[in-house]
Amino acid sequence: MSKFAAPKGVSEYFPPRSQNFEFVRNTLIGEAVVSGYQLIELPVFEDTELFKRGVGESTDVVSKEMYTFEDRGGRSITLRPEGTAGVMRSVIENNLDKGQLPVKIWYSGAFFRAERPQAGRYRQFYQVGVEAIGLSEPEIDVEVIAIADRAFKKLGLKKYRLDITSLGDASSRAAHRVDLIKFIEGLNLDDATAVRAKLNPLRLFDDKRPEISSAMSKAPVLLDYLSEESRKSFESVKSLLEDFGIAYQINPRMVRGLDYYTGTTFEFVHELLGAQSGIGGGGRYDGLMSQLGGADLSGIGFGLGVDRILLACEAEGIFSSDAVTSSLEIYLIPLGSENTKFVTNLLNQLRNSGVIADMSYGDRALKGAMKSADKSGAKYSCVIGESEISSGSLTLKEMKSGVTKEVRIDSLAQALKEI
RNA sequence: GUGGGCGUAGCUCAGCUGGUAGAGCACUCGGUUGUGGUCCGAGAUGUCGCGGGUUCGAGCCCCGUCGCUCACCCCA
């Protein structure tokens, strides 16, 4: 039992699973790069007010899930609960929106929400996200969705689906809101739920309690209130998704947890994940830039949950058995402690010439050292003792096949590169 | 914040109606003075989460506490 334990609800990745985590994250990033997105690296904490204004005070994220503290100068600081608000702040602050549009950027890192932990829900979690700012064409909506879909397919995921809807423009939402509030007033709700409904009536669509969800099944949905323009745009999105071969399902009751979404919104859901099944989601945000003091530009983006996507890959058996890969090229085994110094120096020379190498440290029995060589995953091993040093040549053993080969010690690095 | 489940070896877990702790895997050494994976043999490893109570006796029963976990609310 160690004296210290990690803070409650954080995810940690250590070998060998950290290799799979890295693989998932790099695959997600790779697809953003392929589509012309560039890296933005941001602070993990921001002015608390940024999230209140950007994400919305009525959201659960802002009202009860933020890690907020006061710094030494008396400023209110919050660990970022999501990525988009910070990106917008930086884009505005650094005038990225004054150049060529769209601005296409990706980010990756840790995010924080003070929730009760659960399978797939952590207080510190990892996202890869993209934002495309400055164009409102439906082609960009589909480009963004396609990045995520392509990454999931590349990872080998099969048991997921894409839910999509449109929240329309301001006039669409205003018309719907009137009718929805009228409908909700006719329901008999408990106090907490009534308060939530008042802050944002759309939230009730997301309630999983059977009495609420069955009542809400008769509620008017926003999709039926779309303006002509919004409807046309949504039609284009759907038609392009079909051209791209991306399967989707229209879900008019889908609700996103953040207030800034407008127009196209979407969510990727995995079947094998239990309660926390959303592996990524996003949408368009028309008013966000201007609300944060920037130009009145539209944008669209997503956040993908790296932790959950890793869980999904594991649930589908993607990293089955021998997925643990090692990049080690050679593993050196000194025989006899008097030869350790020679081997240590040889190891250093190999590394200096760029060979990925390791050795057996300590005076171990040969059998044990060979076992370590085996477990290291190195491609080759070699034993170096008295006779090798005096003859200047050693026996290189290919671990997988057991085939051996004589090599001069002074040309070992060269030999390994030629193989 | 609310509810359920679980805390025993490094890991996964067994442990009967209470009688002072076990398996598999992993680890170390040996069988095979200098060549791993298979096989065989041997060895090391525990404040049974913590505190209290009942009892002749508690891993097991009772109370408390801490931690983990799953679910609700909500979300990546």
Side-chain angles (χ1 to χ4, degrees):
Chain A
M1 267 341 123
S2 61
K3 184 161 186 172
F4 293 108
K8 193 183 184 69
V10 300
S11 60
E12 296 190 296
Y13 300 99
F14 41 85
R17 194 155 91 109
S18 52
Q19 289 185 347
N20 294 339
F21 178 83
E22 186 186 23
F23 175 74
V24 168
R25 178 163 59 186
N26 287 343
T27 303
L28 302 176
I29 292 170
E31 292 310 317
V33 171
V34 161
S35 295
Y37 289 68
Q38 292 183 296
L39 172 67
I40 188 165
E41 196 68 68
L42 295 170
V44 297
F45 56 87
E46 296 271 2
D47 187 328
T48 300
E49 196 57 30
L50 173 68
F51 299 117
K52 287 191 175 172
R53 291 256 294 278
V55 178
E57 301 227 38
S58 82
T59 62
D60 279 30
V61 168
V62 169
S63 63
K64 58 180 197 193
E65 294 170 2
M66 295 206 302
Y67 277 102
T68 298
F69 60 95
E70 198 171 277
D71 74 4
R72 296 191 177 208
R75 290 167 284 255
S76 180
I77 298 293
T78 293
L79 300 182
R80 59 184 183 185
E82 60 92 54
T84 304
V87 171
M88 292 308 122
R89 189 228 83 219
S90 181
V91 165
I92 295 164
E93 184 175 347
N94 297 297
N95 297 315
L96 302 185
D97 54 333
K98 305 292 197 301
Q100 196 188 350
L101 297 176
V103 177
K104 303 210 297 187
I105 43 196
W106 67 268
Y107 60 86
S108 165
F111 295 83
F112 308 85
R113 287 182 201 171
E115 303 173 88
R116 194 77 163 246
Q118 198 179 327
R121 188 173 69 186
Y122 308 105
R123 290 183 170 182
Q124 173 173 332
F125 57 99
Y126 296 87
Q127 282 192 4
V128 168
V130 307
E131 310 291 350
I133 302 152
L135 287 182
S136 47
E137 275 70 12
E139 289 78 13
I140 296 291
D141 297 23
V142 178
E143 170 176 295
V144 165
I145 293 171
I147 290 170
D149 190 67
R150 204 178 292 124
F152 295 153
K153 282 176 179 153
K154 197 161 187 176
L155 284 168
L157 289 174
K158 292 193 170 64
K159 303 194 169 179
Y160 69 92
R161 64 164 207 270
L162 166 63
D163 277 11
I164 187 166
T165 190
S166 173
L167 299 181
D169 52 25
S171 67
S172 316
R173 285 194 299 281
H176 172 250
R177 193 184 164 93
V178 172
D179 286 0
L180 181 59
I181 289 172
K182 212 176 288 172
F183 175 85
I184 288 172
E185 280 168 354
L187 300 175
N188 190 16
L189 297 174
D190 60 275
D191 291 351
T193 311
V195 168
R196 222 151 52 85
K198 205 164 188 185
L199 285 169
N200 184 347
L202 289 174
R203 287 272 139 65
L204 283 201
F205 282 115
D206 218 16
D207 204 308
K208 281 182 203 158
R209 289 171 296 182
E211 65 274 18
I212 307 283
S213 66
S214 78
M216 289 304 288
S217 67
K218 297 185 192 76
V221 296
L222 185 41
L223 220 44
D224 296 331
Y225 290 75
L226 291 190
S227 66
E228 188 57 19
E229 205 185 332
S230 293
R231 198 189 56 75
K232 272 190 180 154
S233 172
F234 190 48
E235 288 305 319
S236 306
V237 168
K238 289 190 287 185
S239 140
L240 260 179
L241 284 174
E242 280 152 30
D243 292 348
F244 281 29
I246 298 173
Y248 64 87
Q249 172 176 317
I250 294 176
N251 180 356
R253 292 188 170 71
M254 185 173 74
V255 187
R256 303 286 306 154
L258 313 177
D259 274 354
Y260 49 65
Y261 287 116
T262 62
T264 305
T265 52
F266 57 93
E267 209 165 73
F268 287 90
V269 180
H270 196 269
E271 291 172 26
L272 272 34
L273 244 39
Q276 308 305 322
S277 57
I279 53 176
R284 186 161 280 287
Y285 37 86
D286 282 338
L288 183 58
M289 281 276 281
S290 57
Q291 193 171 348
L292 295 176
D296 188 14
L297 294 176
S298 180
I300 181 162
F302 65 58
L304 305 180
V306 184
D307 313 82
R308 288 185 186 176
I309 294 166
L310 175 61
L311 289 172
C313 288
E314 288 166 347
E316 289 203 39
I318 285 167
F319 303 116
S320 52
S321 51
D322 46 22
V324 177
T325 56
S326 163
S327 47
L328 267 187
E329 292 167 75
I330 187 165
Y331 193 89
L332 309 180
I333 298 170
L335 204 65
S337 54
E338 68 279 10
N339 298 316
T340 300
K341 190 171 161 62
F342 179 91
V343 175
T344 308
N345 278 300
L346 177 61
L347 175 68
N348 189 45
Q349 282 168 33
L350 288 173
R351 289 171 174 170
N352 283 342
S353 13
V355 175
I356 306 172
D358 204 351
M359 69 177 276
S360 168
Y361 289 103
D363 197 18
R364 309 186 60 195
L366 181 58
K367 181 168 177 168
M370 282 303 295
K371 269 189 162 178
S372 311
D374 191 29
K375 275 184 200 122
S376 76
K379 204 168 171 201
Y380 295 93
S381 73
C382 64
V383 174
I384 301 169
E386 203 52 50
S387 63
E388 283 77 11
I389 295 174
S390 58
S391 73
S393 95
L394 50 73
T395 305
L396 206 54
K397 180 169 187 178
E398 186 178 21
M399 294 304 281
K400 211 170 173 183
S401 63
V403 173
T404 59
K405 183 182 174 185
E406 292 298 312
V407 177
R408 298 290 306 167
I409 294 179
D410 50 22
S411 60
L412 181 55
Q414 191 61 30
L416 285 167
K417 277 178 188 164
E418 283 165 4
I419 292 170

